[in-house]
Amino acid sequence: LKEMADSHSATSEYAHKLWTILNHLASAKLPATLQNISLNMDKTFRWTAEETKARLDDSVSSKLLNCVFDKDIEQHIYQVPIATDETVREHDWYCFECHAAGQLYPCTKCFRVYHSSCISAELRANPAVLLCNACQEIEKEPPCNLETLSPCLSKILQSAEKMANGQFGTLPHPQSGVSDEQYRMLIANHIDLDLIDRKIRNMQYLNPTDFFNDFQLLRHNVFIVFGRDSAMAKLATDLLKEVDTQVKTLQSIMPRRFAARFSEKEKQRKGQFKMFRKPVHSGSDNYLQNEKDVGTNGCSCDENYRVAVTDLNNYYRDLFYVELEKMAVEEMYEV
């Protein structure tokens, strides 16, 4: 394996509990020594001294805690670090499939990371050049006409915001129990509904799959911050299912193969074509007579004429499908 992503060996659940105890000790004006932490972890979470020490070490190695020597009491104490811009990394810190820490392998094209046991046998054969399923799906789906796509995604987002009832508008949410700095230490790639809204307005989503992937990231982050068994995690899962249903409906009514091609060439080709008459040959030199009546390409070859007419036909066919797509989208999403 050529590369392995930087990863946390400590789980977010352990980090939350350790941060809680450290905050409690700070409020009580007690030093966060190993002994004080162990006593409180035993009382509050029933951790043994050995478990506490091991999880403290994991948290320090994962940079979720700092361990410094206090000269006044001549002991090591633990502190919650302050997140900086250097905390942001290229890849995630937790497996995108099971949302757990461990030895993780990065996708070569995006931020996602996986345990070798969490990917398919085909991908596991060479994880050093791993291309995750999300990136494969993005590559399969061609870009859409963004002017048509963005209003549709806005409608789906409005439905998601109503279902979320303000829970995922801006993260970290107060119910998460972590500060902005602690959130940034847990979450390598931030996303919330406000950011999704900005990306829609800036036309950053190339297709519906690209949009759906951000809701997968939202659920992943919620699992890490709130815990997999939390009410927030259940809400994020239900939200993802609803968005998945609406995205599939949208994909079924959008003939993307026509819409994208028309969108890219529309400005170049609009008004380019004139009425064609078949070219007139004059002898073997293919000399073109009545050139101005034939078209702007100045070609007297029958084959080139056929290609030009076919191209013109394809242009209007693309135009027809784009208009058909817009009608279907407007009827369904009222845009």
Side-chain angles (χ1 to χ4, degrees):
L1 303 179
K2 294 182 180 179
E3 295 183 9
M4 183 178 70
D6 291 334
S7 61
H8 286 337
S9 56
T11 68
S12 58
E13 177 188 0
Y14 294 163
H16 276 296
K17 292 178 178 179
L18 289 168
W19 288 341
T20 299
I21 295 303
L22 263 62
N23 289 335
H24 169 72
L25 291 173
S27 299
K29 297 183 179 180
L30 294 173
T33 62
L34 176 60
Q35 181 180 7
N36 287 339
I37 295 173
S38 296
L39 288 173
N40 281 271
M41 296 307 293
D42 180 30
K43 292 179 182 178
T44 308
F45 301 111
R46 312 305 300 172
W47 287 9
T48 66
E50 292 77 13
E51 289 174 334
T52 299
K53 180 64 168 65
R55 290 164 185 173
L56 281 170
D57 290 343
D58 282 345
S59 296
V60 171
S61 65
S62 299
K63 299 182 180 180
L64 297 176
L65 287 177
N66 288 337
C67 182
V68 298
F69 185 76
D70 190 322
K71 295 181 179 179
D72 293 335
I73 62 175
E74 296 185 348
Q75 292 188 59
H76 284 91
I77 61 172
Y78 295 86
Q79 301 171 336
V80 178
I82 298 176
T84 65
D85 291 339
E86 296 178 356
T87 307
V88 180
R89 302 186 186 182
E90 182 179 358
H91 288 96
D92 209 314
W93 290 314
Y94 297 96
C95 175
F96 206 78
E97 182 66 28
C98 70
H99 319 288
Q103 189 178 38
L104 303 169
Y105 300 96
C107 174
T108 55
K109 196 169 183 178
C110 75
F111 61 87
R112 296 172 181 84
V113 292
Y114 299 88
H115 297 109
S116 61
S117 58
C118 290
I119 56 180
S120 65
E122 180 182 357
L123 296 176
R124 193 160 54 244
N126 191 6
V129 288
L130 171 65
L131 185 64
C132 71
N133 290 330
C135 288
Q136 291 184 40
E137 291 300 319
I138 286 290
E139 288 188 350
K140 290 178 184 177
E141 186 171 14
C144 291
N145 184 322
L146 301 186
E147 293 181 358
T148 303
L149 176 65
S150 295
C152 301
L153 298 184
S154 292
K155 289 293 183 179
I156 297 176
L157 177 61
Q158 289 174 14
S159 176
E161 288 174 332
K162 184 176 180 180
M163 183 176 179
N165 195 26
Q167 296 299 315
F168 305 132
T170 302
L171 292 176
H173 192 274
Q175 292 183 12
S176 64
V178 298
S179 65
D180 288 345
E181 289 78 12
Q182 292 167 349
Y183 173 84
R184 287 162 56 194
M185 283 187 285
L186 290 174
I187 301 303
N189 296 275
H190 168 70
I191 194 70
D192 55 30
L193 296 186
D194 286 351
L195 180 54
I196 291 175
D197 181 47
R198 290 197 297 273
K199 291 177 71 173
I200 292 174
R201 286 188 277 109
N202 293 331
M203 295 187 180
Q204 292 178 249
Y205 292 113
L206 300 179
N207 50 50
T209 299
D210 194 15
F211 171 75
F212 175 72
N213 285 344
D214 268 353
F215 279 88
Q216 286 187 315
L217 175 59
L218 177 64
R219 184 188 65 163
H220 172 69
N221 290 350
V222 167
F223 274 29
I224 293 169
V225 175
F226 294 87
R228 298 189 59 164
D229 298 326
S230 66
M232 297 294 283
K234 182 180 184 305
L235 177 59
T237 300
D238 293 342
L239 187 66
L240 182 65
K241 291 179 181 178
E242 177 62 25
V243 170
D244 184 31
T245 300
Q246 294 197 40
V247 164
K248 287 178 179 176
T249 301
L250 177 61
Q251 289 171 325
S252 69
I253 64 171
M254 294 187 71
R256 297 177 302 279
R257 60 187 181 278
F258 299 112
R261 181 165 47 155
F262 177 79
S263 177
E264 293 171 359
K265 298 182 179 180
E266 180 178 5
K267 292 183 180 180
Q268 299 176 7
R269 302 175 67 178
K270 185 178 291 185
Q272 174 182 345
F273 298 99
K274 298 181 179 180
M275 293 300 295
F276 282 82
R277 286 213 310 265
K278 188 173 181 179
V280 178
H281 290 278
S282 177
S284 60
D285 58 356
N286 287 340
Y287 178 74
L288 177 64
Q289 296 179 357
N290 301 324
E291 178 180 348
K292 64 180 180 179
D293 294 328
V294 176
T296 59
N297 58 0
C299 178
S300 62
C301 174
D302 283 344
E303 176 62 21
N304 285 351
Y305 170 77
R306 184 190 65 78
V307 170
V309 172
T310 301
D311 196 28
L312 178 62
N313 177 69
N314 290 340
Y315 170 76
Y316 284 109
R317 182 193 63 182
D318 289 359
L319 177 61
F320 167 75
Y321 276 107
V322 169
E323 293 303 320
L324 187 65
E325 169 196 317
K326 288 181 178 178
M327 290 172 60
V329 169
E330 288 171 0
E331 181 177 354
M332 176 163 290
Y333 290 93
E334 299 179 355
V335 295

